[in-house]
Amino acid sequence: MDPSKKPHLRIGTGLILGLVIATNPVSVFAQGKGKTHPAEAKYMGAPSAVKVSPKSKKEEAKFALTDEENTRANKIYFERCAGCHGVLRKGATGKPLTVDKTRPLGTRYLENFITDGSGGGMPSWEKELSKDDIKLMAKYVQNDPIAPPEFGMKDMKDTWKVMIPPEKRPTKKMNNYNIKNFFAVTLRDAGEVAIIDGDTKEIVNIVKTGYAVHISRLSHSGRYLYTIGRDAKIDLIDLWMEKPEIVAEIKIGLEARSVETSKYKGYEDKLAIAGAYWPPQYVIMDGETLEPKKIVSTRGNVVGTQEYHPEPRVAAIVASHEHPDFIVNVKETGKILLVNYQDIENLTVTEIQAAPFLHDGGWDASKRYFLTAANKSNKIAVVDSRERKLAKLVDVGGIPHPGRGANFTSKEFGPVWATSHLGDASIAIIGTDPDHHKDNAWKLVKTLKGQGGGSLFIKTHPKSKNLYVDTALNPDAKISQSVAVFDINNLDAPYKVLPIAEWANLGEGTKKVVQPEYNENGDEVWFSVWNEQKLRSAIVIVDDKTLTVKKVIDDKRIITPTGKFNVKNTVEDIY
């Protein structure tokens, strides 16, 4: 029989061809979003090649989808599930969703599981997906995954646009704003970033970006803002313009999470790098135009087992202050790459063996040591960026998710760095000063207990005595809608709970509170109150000294806000 006449094969082939022709994953995988664990779901997953086993025509007919249904299901899967279960559904943080796992469970069970979630990690989707969509997804995961296409230099250059070339851009700042106190705020489901003036609390501009921007990063000069969506679209925004606008854009794959710029002396603003989830690769670009210069695959062997992995995705990337290096986390293989960008035509890469499922992380206060979470290994890897080697692997709690982490000086232990966790209520505090507090360096010196698991971000500031811990993915609404605040000078004291969502006064909805971010002066903390797309969301600004509400930004244009990135703090790696 002609394979093209089998419904499931015909649909897959048509979709893949459509992807290749359009070079836009929205048509198949849509834009990127991954939400599958009240504690960890939005950021992970580890697919690999899936073997298709022969099945009877009768069995296949039960799960067959029309072209329209498959397109819709692919879009939902890519937005909601791929980040945890993987593009090819082989799983890692989330369970595998290959047909050998899903079909024995049955359609009714899968519908209930998607609807209700589980305490073990799967969130309830009943408020975010319709009943018809839930039924569709229960059938969809009982079909074999469709392998997405590669995305190479030609594909990238086909998407690359320079709206305003560097020579036609301003030669000096053309606005009267204090851009050091700008906040770039992700409006996740709108596919936008709001530029908000931290002084006046007014929206300066809302820029159409890639879908569900994962992070925003600033050039060393603070002039250029780089955003990357989960659909792997990068937008370059010039903050010197009278009204900040996009001056260049590019897509570097089908799904992505990370972007960074060169910071080492003599290379400021010259290069940018982005890492893709699919295809598994990183791309080095011109810093002022986003012209792609070099693509490097990350496929390879896993640390420890040495087994080959076909889809090791690129997670966090930071720029070294000690060498002209980009430090690149390769999630599934557990390798940290020091990519020296002095000569990208003859690229030199130092490979550090850490631990699998590397995700996010940040610098210690000295900006010499990079501390990064190997989340499913329950470890923090410490990289000495000066000596260019692994300093230590530190065992911590369940599924660490620090964001950039939090640096402060403890009276008892000296300089420390802290992470919260997705998988439990603990806050791990690690000593970071091998020169003056050698006995505490790279050790878990103290563990605090927060409100619960499901924390995505922890934050403090050099001028603050407070340590803020969100719990946005906790299944308990009271916990997910509030934050815990610890006193750095008295860590054994009970934490205070700030009812951030209640202060926003939005009415109905999930209203998850996520990502504390300080302003330029370190005396305000901004929180996103992330509601469902059709409901009201807000930004709540708290006075750091009094822990009271200072301002609520509930402009109707603030749709599903998540990450917020203050220009000064992001440029200078202050956290």
Side-chain angles (χ1 to χ4, degrees):
M1 182 177 179
D2 182 357
S4 67
K5 293 181 181 178
K6 292 185 179 181
H8 67 286
L9 291 177
R10 183 182 70 249
I11 293 167
T13 304
L15 285 167
I16 291 173
L17 287 174
L19 252 178
V20 174
I21 293 168
T23 67
N24 182 349
V26 174
S27 59
V28 178
F29 299 113
Q31 309 115 7
K33 179 178 181 182
K35 279 167 48 170
T36 1
H37 186 299
E40 54 183 311
K42 299 186 181 64
Y43 295 88
M44 299 152 230
S48 61
V50 178
K51 295 181 180 179
V52 179
S53 56
K55 305 172 187 71
S56 70
K57 294 179 184 177
K58 185 177 180 180
E59 185 181 18
E60 292 299 307
K62 290 194 298 181
F63 315 112
L65 302 175
T66 66
D67 287 1
E68 183 179 351
E69 288 174 329
N70 212 23
T71 298
R72 170 69 180 161
N74 268 311
K75 182 177 188 295
I76 293 170
Y77 183 81
F78 191 69
E79 290 182 355
R80 307 289 182 179
C81 318
C84 187
H85 296 287
V87 174
L88 299 182
R89 309 212 307 259
K90 193 92 184 259
T93 300
K95 298 291 186 182
L97 295 178
T98 48
V99 295
D100 60 315
K101 306 290 185 184
T102 57
R103 289 190 177 182
L105 297 174
T107 302
R108 181 64 62 86
Y109 176 91
L110 292 167
E111 286 179 14
N112 291 337
F113 193 70
I114 295 168
T115 300
D116 299 330
S118 77
M122 179 80 168
S124 166
W125 289 101
E126 65 177 339
K127 290 186 177 180
E128 299 193 44
L129 295 176
S130 69
K131 289 183 179 180
D132 287 343
D133 282 343
I134 289 172
K135 290 179 180 180
L136 173 64
M137 296 311 295
K139 289 176 63 177
Y140 172 79
V141 296
Q142 295 178 81
N143 284 276
D144 288 310
I146 298 168
E150 299 297 317
F151 203 89
M153 184 62 78
K154 182 180 183 303
D155 300 305
M156 290 183 200
K157 287 196 170 180
D158 285 345
T159 70
W160 173 48
K161 297 177 184 176
V162 179
M163 293 77 162
I164 304 175
E167 63 271 17
K168 293 186 178 180
R169 295 174 196 166
T171 56
K172 63 180 181 179
K173 191 164 76 77
M174 301 301 291
N175 58 62
N176 294 321
Y177 295 110
N178 170 23
I179 65 174
K180 287 185 178 181
N181 202 27
F182 272 178
F183 284 78
V185 180
T186 297
L187 306 180
R188 180 188 177 92
D189 294 333
E192 297 171 337
V193 164
I195 310 296
I196 301 180
D197 181 356
D199 292 344
T200 66
K201 315 301 188 287
E202 298 294 328
I203 296 173
V204 176
N205 197 18
I206 291 184
V207 182
K208 215 52 172 163
T209 59
Y211 175 80
V213 163
H214 190 63
I215 58 170
S216 296
R217 289 289 176 260
L218 275 299
S219 63
H220 185 274
S221 67
R223 172 178 182 171
Y224 290 115
L225 174 69
Y226 300 77
T227 70
I228 189 163
R230 290 181 179 238
D231 56 359
K233 182 173 180 280
I234 301 171
D235 290 288
L236 178 60
I237 300 166
D238 187 352
L239 300 181
W240 277 14
M241 297 172 68
E242 187 172 348
K243 186 167 75 170
E245 294 283 4
I246 295 170
V247 294
E249 66 181 32
I250 192 172
K251 278 180 59 67
I252 56 93
L254 303 182
E255 187 182 6
R257 295 293 188 278
S258 53
V259 66
E260 180 61 293
T261 66
S262 51
K263 292 184 177 178
Y264 191 68
K265 187 176 181 180
Y267 293 91
E268 299 95 330
D269 293 20
K270 292 195 173 177
L271 294 171
I273 184 173
Y277 267 26
W278 185 271
Q281 61 193 24
Y282 59 87
V283 183
I284 299 174
M285 299 159 285
D286 182 276
E288 289 189 317
T289 67
L290 301 182
E291 179 183 7
K293 299 289 189 181
K294 185 85 169 183
I295 303 172
V296 182
S297 172
T298 54
R299 291 179 170 100
N301 298 83
V302 178
V303 168
T305 66
Q306 298 297 300
E307 293 180 356
Y308 177 74
H309 199 296
E311 197 181 337
R313 299 168 295 169
V314 177
I317 303 175
V318 297
S320 173
H321 301 270
E322 299 282 349
H323 297 281
D325 290 338
F326 290 123
I327 303 178
V328 178
N329 278 353
V330 185
K331 186 185 286 284
E332 281 74 25
T333 58
K335 296 175 181 178
I336 300 172
L337 308 180
L338 307 184
V339 180
N340 186 285
Y341 50 74
Q342 287 178 297
D343 181 0
I344 62 174
E345 292 302 320
N346 302 283
L347 203 63
T348 301
V349 180
T350 298
E351 181 180 291
I352 294 175
Q353 307 278 300
F357 307 113
L358 293 164
H359 193 53
D360 55 350
W363 295 104
D364 78 310
S366 74
K367 300 180 177 60
R368 171 176 173 175
Y369 298 97
F370 175 54
L371 295 95
T372 186
N375 52 44
K376 288 295 282 186
S377 297
N378 299 331
K379 297 179 186 296
I380 296 294
V382 183
V383 173
D384 183 342
S385 69
R386 182 179 299 168
E387 298 298 326
R388 308 178 88 246
K389 64 182 183 181
L390 185 71
K392 191 76 172 179
L393 283 174
V394 184
D395 291 320
V396 292
I399 315 169
H401 193 289
R404 288 295 184 103
N407 290 301
F408 60 95
T409 299
S410 161
K411 292 179 180 178
E412 185 177 358
F413 305 110
V416 296
W417 178 92
T419 180
S420 51
H421 297 79
L422 289 159
D424 63 38
S426 69
I427 293 102
I429 299 176
I430 297 169
T432 61
D433 184 11
D435 294 331
H436 303 101
H437 297 80
K438 187 176 181 179
D439 290 344
N440 297 327
W442 319 134
K443 294 178 182 177
L444 180 64
V445 295
K446 193 175 185 67
T447 299
L448 307 176
K449 185 176 181 181
Q451 291 197 88
S455 177
L456 292 177
F457 296 99
I458 185 170
K459 191 64 67 84
T460 189
H461 189 277
K463 295 181 181 179
S464 177
K465 70 178 185 66
N466 296 316
L467 178 67
Y468 297 86
V469 183
D470 74 17
T471 37
L473 300 185
N474 193 285
D476 185 326
K478 288 184 179 179
I479 295 175
S480 67
Q481 294 178 10
S482 61
V483 296
V485 188
F486 292 85
D487 183 347
I488 286 170
N489 297 321
N490 186 8
L491 292 172
D492 292 323
Y495 57 78
K496 296 179 180 178
V497 176
L498 305 186
I500 302 293
E502 180 183 322
W503 290 346
N505 193 28
L506 296 175
E508 63 178 325
T510 52
K511 296 173 291 189
K512 291 171 281 192
V513 175
V514 64
Q515 204 227 14
E517 176 74 346
Y518 280 83
N519 65 341
E520 176 192 8
N521 293 329
D523 57 9
E524 293 176 355
V525 190
W526 293 38
F527 296 90
S528 296
V529 183
W530 170 19
N531 214 348
E532 291 126 88
Q533 186 172 1
K534 294 180 180 180
L535 300 177
R536 294 170 60 216
S537 290
I539 305 292
V540 173
I541 301 169
V542 171
D543 185 301
D544 183 59
K545 287 184 172 57
T546 64
L547 300 182
T548 57
V549 181
K550 193 170 182 179
K551 174 76 173 178
V552 175
I553 304 174
D554 57 359
D555 189 296
K556 64 181 181 181
R557 294 172 291 174
I558 300 294
I559 300 168
T560 58
T562 51
K564 300 164 299 304
F565 302 90
N566 177 267
V567 169
K568 178 182 171 68
N569 294 334
T570 304
V571 168
E572 299 182 17
D573 289 314
I574 297 171
Y575 34 84

